[in-house]
Amino acid sequence: MQQTDSRSGILGIVPRPDCWERMLSQQQYYFPATYLHYLADATFLACYMPGWYPTQPHHISHTASIRDYTMRLRRDIIPTEPQHPRAHMAYVVLDIADLTPLVPALPSPRWHRVSIHRITADQLLRVPYLGHPAWHQIQRHANMGLDYV
């Protein structure tokens, strides 16, 4: 019988290079508080890199442990963007640790609309690419009622 890894995590987009630099320097990842419920029992963050990533666009590149989280206003997280349309919105700020490359990276044959999604470790370890039919089978098998990418 094949062993499964059902640890729960979240998949989040790293939308711009400055967001990636902030993750590396501050060991934090942030997203709108409307997705706070996705954090329930999540133990890790997986990072989806869109088209800006220089070596391989559209892939899941890194994982990190979630240590803790706080709630802050976006304008306090990114003070250089005080006029941003969501500057006054509440955001979740994850304190992360052990930011590690996912080897091999999980590629995507096409762009996916990713913001924040729930995932399992099985999805990262057992599928050949993002969006593969097995990705969705694992979701259903886990019977977690999670969002699909």
Side-chain angles (χ1 to χ4, degrees), residues 30-42:
Y30 60 90
F31 58 89
T34 54
Y35 297 105
L36 177 62
H37 61 285
Y38 285 16
L39 270 181
D41 73 359

Side-chain angles (χ1 to χ4, degrees), residues 13-148:
I13 189 170
V14 182
R16 302 182 315 261
D18 63 310
C19 297
W20 179 240
E21 291 300 321
R22 192 175 298 114
M23 281 183 69
L24 293 174
S25 66
Q26 298 176 7
Q27 296 290 293
Q28 293 183 334
Y29 178 79
Y30 60 90
F31 58 89
T34 54
Y35 297 105
L36 177 62
H37 61 285
Y38 285 16
L39 270 181
D41 73 359
T43 62
F44 68 92
L45 167 71
C47 304
Y48 176 76
M49 299 297 192
W52 67 262
Y53 198 76
T55 58
Q56 180 184 6
H58 313 298
H59 72 291
I60 299 174
S61 67
H62 289 73
T63 61
S65 299
I66 297 173
R67 292 189 304 192
D68 201 2
Y69 74 92
T70 56
M71 302 288 289
R72 296 175 57 196
L73 294 179
R74 188 182 191 283
R75 70 170 180 242
D76 297 332
I77 300 166
I78 311 172
T80 58
E81 298 179 6
Q83 301 305 317
H84 190 280
R86 293 185 300 274
H88 299 304
M89 286 182 59
Y91 271 61
V92 175
V93 179
L94 297 181
D95 289 325
I96 58 174
D98 308 319
L99 187 62
T100 307
L102 183 62
V103 179
L106 188 59
S108 175
R110 64 176 181 81
W111 175 82
H112 283 269
R113 185 174 188 85
V114 173
S115 52
I116 297 290
H117 295 276
R118 294 275 311 248
I119 59 172
T120 65
D122 269 346
Q123 287 173 293
L124 292 178
L125 302 173
R126 296 180 183 252
V127 297
Y129 59 87
L130 184 62
H132 184 272
W135 178 275
H136 302 296
Q137 290 172 353
I138 292 167
Q139 282 283 31
R140 285 190 293 275
H141 179 70
N143 195 24
M144 298 173 74
L146 306 178
D147 289 347
Y148 298 143

